[in-house]
Amino acid sequence: MFDVQSVAHQGPQSRQFNPYTENGGTILAIAGADFSVIAGDTRQSEGYSIQTRYAPKVFQLTDKAVLAVNGFSADGKMFVKKVKQRLEWYRHAHAKDMPIRSIARLIQTMLYSRRFFPYYVYNILGGIEDDGTGSVYSFDPVGSYEREACRAAGAAQSLVQPFLDNQVYYKNQTAGQDESFPTHLPLPSVLKLVVDAFTSATERHIEVGDGLEIYVVLKRDSTAIQSMEGVQEVTTSEEGQRVFYIRRELKKD
Amino acid sequence: MDHFPTNWGRPRNDLHDAYGTYPIHQHPQHAPKDAFADGVKRTQQPIVTGTSVLGVVYKDGVMLAADNLASYGSLARFKDVQRLHPVGNHTVLGVSGDMSDYQYIQKLLEELVIEEFTEQDGSILGPAELHEYLSQVMYARRSKINPLWNSLIVGGVKDGQRFLAYVDLLGTTYKAPTIATGYGAYIAQPLLRKAVEPYTDVLTEEQAQSILEECMRVLYYRDARSLDKFQIATITEEGIRISETRHLASSWSFAEGIRGYGAQTQ
Amino acid sequence: MEYNGGSVVAMVGKDCVAIACDLRLGNQALGVSSNFPKIFPITDRIYLGMSGLATDLETLRERFRFRVNMYTIKEEREIEPQTFAHLVSSTLYEHRFGPYFIEPVIAGLSKTPSGDLKPFIAAADLIGCLNFAKDFVVSGTASAKIYGLAEALWEPDLEPEDLFETISQTLMNAVDRDAFSGWGCLVHVLTKDKVITRTLKSRMD
């Protein structure tokens, strides 16, 4: 049996192993009336070193759900793998994809099951609900979650989230006489905000940059994306919602 | 440069604040001790270690380089160790960190390859599969708070696809056109990014070799735990070649002119 | 810096500059005052903002008043923003190993040789390392949040009223996400012929 007492008195030369690290980067999601946009940069770093300029943090789970993970990348990869596995099991058992609100609850239980050795990851789940509305769910590392209209997480959360408060929720702005702010932004405006948020974060945060990946989950009958350039359709099924992928370069310094 | 005179002449902890960026009162050595440190199970530390491994993608494949030294602390203990390990016909594993953990990984891979071979199902483990396997092993061990204390580079070519990826003791993984572990990450990686990354599809074997050799030379000059004997592994569609040990030419005459830092004045 | 909380930001516009601060004074998490301005006029065309430890703020305000008065008497002219920035820097660096916990922000209009007025902003850390930015400078507990907003909202050559809107939105939305800043804002816009000063209402939670 492992003897804690004797090891504890071994002296100061033995170094404590830290099972966690931080790999930088930032993720962001915004929900619209009938779409959801989920984005993340592609830089992976440790300390002041850039490990790679392309490590995806945003993953398509089903034809209506996309998950962004940020924090300790090894935990992130393992977590996404396990979520995907659970969704596959669900498909085999129920012959349909799991609804997004159920995926959100699944993620909560999976995170909380590791309450005392947590996955050091911040998750943001985006997609289309069964009622056809765009949705965003955000989580903390131990599973607290909430449905929201927009959320930023990761290294540049503090730079991006107040910008989103201002531009998505119109915080500290008042509408003119006989005017009102929209409850949901149109897709082109959302995409502009996402790109602006990431270029700004790249400018002022050393762990953000290199590339930007944006996923758009769009309700099947929506026409919002027809006239967009550089958009690649990555829809997986005929019945579900449509999914699009957009890639942009970010500064590499 | 450490700006705090009280630290001059004392052993420095390179892991913390090597540039003296904190005000004195919050300097690591003045920091309160981790309250949980005594209650947490302590794990091993690396004993016999190998330093940097370098990897690059070039026109026809992937190339790895590592020197032949296994250090025991600051002692150059074993000077003829091969740290490039071929697995099957498509993959080479470059290992830095603890050498006994490396030997354990070699054993794991041998068992794995034999098991896969005996299946006789026509499928062979390629670099991508071996990297995934090693990632799972490394991540599982870190999750048991009993890590294999290594940084590994997996390089290979299979089905016309060049593959170069990294995995370390935390289970952190990534792919990139150039990878360097240990001090190489600080010293060689910037050189490789400049010399290799824009040209991965045009760089010839000779060019890739001379870039790696130059990086190994720079590392030999600056990394005190390195050696002037190294090997290069070349993986192409044709298979694996691991070179004989090569010697790095170096000149230390400039050292005569250095008159030291700090207290040493004459 | 989190002991009393507070944030300051300054921005350059077209022939004008703006400087703004929040109005909170706290004792750690406890809010103590909602009318604690952190910006002070130094001359007619230099404003100094300070965030950090409130007691050091009071001390430094008096210290700068004294030093600027001495400068004015000796030189028989008003101090220029650049000169004042260096005065701030050297005052802070005098205490390199036991610093005042203040991050100053300076906004002013400086005289060019031709007699025109040119926008000037600067900021320093608590030991006086100066930062002469061309766009905006920030300090305080909400600095990261201000950076995020300023980087996205600011653009070159804003007219005074547009600059006022930009700096106000930047500061208000930033301090609303900061537990240690907020409780109202104070904005000054310095132009050639006048200083526009406005107090903003904002979230009080």
Side-chain angles (χ1 to χ4, degrees):
Chain A
M1 188 43 203
F2 187 80
D3 187 359
V4 180
Q5 280 295 5
S6 68
V7 176
H9 290 293
Q10 250 175 32
Q13 89 279 10
S14 59
R15 239 184 5 204
Q16 171 56 58
F17 170 66
N18 178 194
Y20 294 113
T21 187
E22 280 234 49
N23 297 107
T26 278
I27 51 171
L28 151 64
I30 301 175
D34 60 353
F35 65 86
S36 186
V37 174
I38 306 94
D41 71 327
T42 64
R43 176 175 292 183
Q44 188 179 107
S45 59
E46 190 173 9
Y48 291 130
S49 300
I50 296 172
Q51 293 182 317
T52 180
R53 299 191 190 282
Y54 184 70
K57 282 196 278 290
V58 191
F59 303 94
Q60 192 179 347
L61 297 178
T62 64
D63 56 15
K64 58 184 170 230
V66 172
L67 181 64
V69 286
N70 196 246
F72 173 32
S73 81
D75 270 353
K77 281 205 174 87
M78 182 53 70
F79 187 72
V80 169
K81 203 176 185 141
K82 295 207 160 176
V83 171
K84 281 183 170 173
Q85 185 181 48
R86 294 288 291 267
L87 292 178
E88 192 176 325
W89 289 347
Y90 182 95
R91 249 191 313 272
H92 292 317
H94 299 92
K96 63 164 185 143
D97 278 329
M98 193 186 276
I100 196 157
R101 63 192 167 83
S102 316
I103 300 179
R105 179 61 66 84
L106 172 74
I107 288 174
Q108 131 136 116
T109 52
M110 289 177 68
L111 288 169
Y112 194 80
S113 70
R114 287 277 296 264
R115 171 61 181 78
F116 298 106
F117 185 21
Y119 287 111
Y120 187 47
V121 283
Y122 287 87
N123 284 285
I124 299 179
L125 176 69
I128 303 287
E129 294 285 345
D130 283 351
D131 65 6
T133 57
S135 71
V136 164
Y137 291 89
S138 68
F139 302 81
D140 83 350
V142 288
S144 302
Y145 80 113
E146 177 179 23
R147 185 180 169 181
E148 295 174 291
C150 78
R151 171 60 65 186
Q157 181 192 39
S158 60
L159 284 75
V160 175
Q161 189 65 50
F163 172 66
L164 262 26
D165 291 344
N166 188 220
Q167 299 293 315
V168 178
Y169 292 125
Y170 294 103
K171 287 276 168 69
N172 292 112
Q173 290 190 264
T174 25
Q177 204 80 63
D178 303 323
E179 285 178 272
S180 68
F181 291 125
T183 27
H184 291 291
L185 293 168
L187 183 56
S189 329
V190 168
L191 291 175
K192 275 186 196 147
L193 285 181
V194 169
V195 174
D196 273 9
F198 274 95
T199 40
S200 299
T202 302
E203 202 65 43
R204 291 286 175 178
H205 201 113
I206 54 170
E207 293 172 2
V208 180
D210 291 334
L212 171 59
E213 284 191 315
I214 308 171
Y215 281 84
V216 182
V217 189
L218 194 60
K219 202 176 158 209
R220 180 152 285 275
D221 52 19
S222 173
T223 52
I225 212 159
Q226 276 169 349
S227 59
M228 301 288 301
E229 56 170 306
V231 178
Q232 186 193 334
E233 180 152 5
V234 289
T235 308
T236 51
S237 72
E238 290 297 311
E239 315 82 62
Q241 317 302 345
R242 298 169 74 197
V243 185
F244 298 86
Y245 169 80
I246 305 164
R247 203 192 132 79
R248 290 284 133 87
E249 291 298 308
L250 291 173
K251 283 171 72 178
K252 296 184 190 333
D253 57 358
Chain B
M1 169 73 189
D2 189 340
H3 299 272
F4 295 99
T6 51
N7 293 333
W8 293 355
R10 295 180 195 283
R12 187 171 59 186
N13 183 351
D14 279 315
L15 288 172
H16 294 106
D17 196 33
Y19 302 96
T21 49
Y22 294 93
I24 287 171
H25 63 274
Q26 49 178 287
H27 202 257
Q29 70 197 38
H30 296 279
K33 249 183 73 190
D34 179 1
F36 294 101
D38 289 336
V40 179
K41 180 172 148 188
R42 235 153 286 214
T43 313
Q44 37 138 306
Q45 47 182 329
I47 307 293
V48 177
T49 57
T51 187
S52 323
V53 184
L54 310 180
V56 296
V57 167
Y58 73 102
K59 182 160 67 85
D60 306 313
V62 173
M63 219 178 259
L64 303 183
D67 69 22
N68 290 311
L69 178 65
S71 308
Y72 178 69
S74 58
L75 174 70
R77 181 65 182 83
F78 304 104
K79 309 216 284 182
D80 191 20
V81 172
Q82 189 178 117
R83 299 195 289 124
L84 300 170
H85 176 66
V87 188
N89 298 318
H90 306 283
T91 314
V92 173
L93 176 67
V95 184
S96 57
D98 192 280
M99 288 294 107
S100 60
D101 286 347
Y102 166 41
Q103 290 177 355
Y104 172 72
I105 290 168
Q106 283 180 307
K107 192 194 87 158
L108 282 184
L109 289 173
E110 190 174 314
E111 286 169 7
L112 179 75
V113 168
I114 290 171
E115 211 158 275
E116 288 289 321
F117 176 80
T118 50
E119 290 279 340
Q120 287 293 310
D121 57 1
S123 81
I124 303 160
L125 290 177
E129 291 78 21
L130 286 162
H131 177 258
E132 181 64 26
Y133 172 80
L134 287 167
S135 313
Q136 297 294 324
V137 170
M138 299 299 274
Y139 183 79
R141 287 292 294 263
R142 88 94 216 190
S143 298
K144 292 177 187 159
I145 321 288
N146 183 203
L148 295 170
W149 213 287
N150 302 101
S151 293
L152 312 171
I153 296 182
V154 180
V157 181
K158 190 167 177 264
D159 306 328
Q161 288 294 93
R162 295 168 295 176
F163 183 93
L164 182 64
Y166 168 98
V167 56
D168 65 14
L169 74 167
L170 291 171
T172 307
T173 57
Y174 57 89
K175 286 189 242 184
T178 61
I179 295 177
T181 70
Y183 266 96
Y186 305 110
I187 295 169
Q189 184 67 265
L191 305 170
L192 292 174
R193 291 235 167 100
K194 192 172 176 195
V196 176
E197 293 206 353
Y199 317 109
T200 48
D201 293 332
V202 290
L203 222 56
T204 63
E205 189 173 315
E206 291 70 35
Q207 288 171 315
Q209 263 188 39
S210 73
I211 290 166
L212 281 178
E213 179 169 330
E214 193 53 35
C215 288
M216 293 304 285
R217 191 182 343 272
V218 175
L219 281 169
Y220 176 59
Y221 275 122
R222 280 293 170 182
D223 177 2
R225 307 286 172 261
S226 66
L227 198 65
D228 55 354
K229 284 163 70 194
F230 74 107
Q231 284 169 290
I232 285 184
T234 313
I235 312 104
T236 61
E237 201 69 73
E238 275 70 56
I240 296 170
R241 275 172 290 135
I242 296 181
S243 74
E244 288 299 300
T245 292
R246 296 179 191 186
H247 188 264
L248 281 168
S250 58
S251 160
W252 294 91
S253 53
F254 69 90
E256 294 289 312
I258 296 177
R259 287 262 84 59
Y261 300 97
Q264 185 188 343
T265 50
Q266 51 120 269
Chain C
M1 294 295 153
E2 282 85 33
Y3 188 74
N4 299 120
S7 301
V8 186
V9 55
M11 286 180 171
V12 168
K14 190 170 168 50
D15 302 321
C16 58
V17 281
I19 181 166
C21 66
D22 70 321
L23 291 175
R24 182 181 182 271
L25 172 74
N27 186 174
Q28 306 209 70
L30 174 70
V32 172
S33 168
S34 59
N35 189 196
F36 190 81
K38 295 159 191 75
I39 302 174
F40 310 100
I42 299 300
T43 69
D44 288 347
R45 29 186 198 85
I46 303 175
Y47 276 66
L48 168 68
M50 291 182 278
S51 70
L53 196 69
T55 182
D56 286 349
L57 180 143
E58 310 273 355
T59 309
L60 279 179
R61 188 182 60 186
E62 292 308 311
R63 236 194 145 103
F64 290 138
R65 190 165 75 90
F66 169 75
R67 291 202 166 184
V68 169
N69 284 341
M70 292 304 283
Y71 181 96
T72 320
I73 294 163
K74 241 182 189 168
E75 300 273 327
E76 297 185 319
R77 63 190 172 94
E78 262 191 358
I79 195 167
E80 281 299 306
Q82 285 91 335
T83 323
F84 179 68
H86 283 101
L87 188 152
V88 169
S89 168
S90 48
T91 306
L92 291 172
Y93 196 78
E94 277 177 16
H95 303 273
R96 168 65 178 78
F97 294 108
Y100 288 116
F101 294 105
I102 288 291
E103 293 176 350
V105 166
I106 298 151
L109 295 166
S110 61
K111 268 220 172 72
T112 60
S114 61
D116 287 345
L117 290 177
K118 208 169 137 271
F120 172 89
I121 54 165
D125 65 6
L126 75 169
I127 51 170
C129 176
L130 281 169
N131 166 20
F132 303 106
K134 290 182 186 66
D135 42 13
F136 48 82
V137 286
V138 311
S139 93
T141 52
S143 56
K145 289 139 196 167
I146 300 173
Y147 267 131
L149 275 145
E151 194 62 58
L153 299 183
W154 184 88
E155 47 190 289
D157 297 325
L158 289 164
E159 296 296 331
E161 278 306 320
D162 297 332
L163 184 66
F164 166 77
E165 194 60 32
T166 306
I167 199 170
S168 303
Q169 289 293 331
T170 298
L171 186 66
M172 278 206 283
N173 289 287
V175 300
D176 283 354
R177 278 278 176 185
D178 184 30
F180 296 106
S181 304
W183 272 19
C185 299
L186 177 67
V187 184
H188 301 282
V189 184
L190 285 67
T191 65
K192 276 191 166 67
D193 46 2
K194 64 175 186 290
V195 178
I196 307 163
T197 299
R198 289 182 185 135
T199 309
L200 306 175
K201 286 187 176 176
S202 75
R203 285 178 71 111
M204 298 300 279
D205 57 359

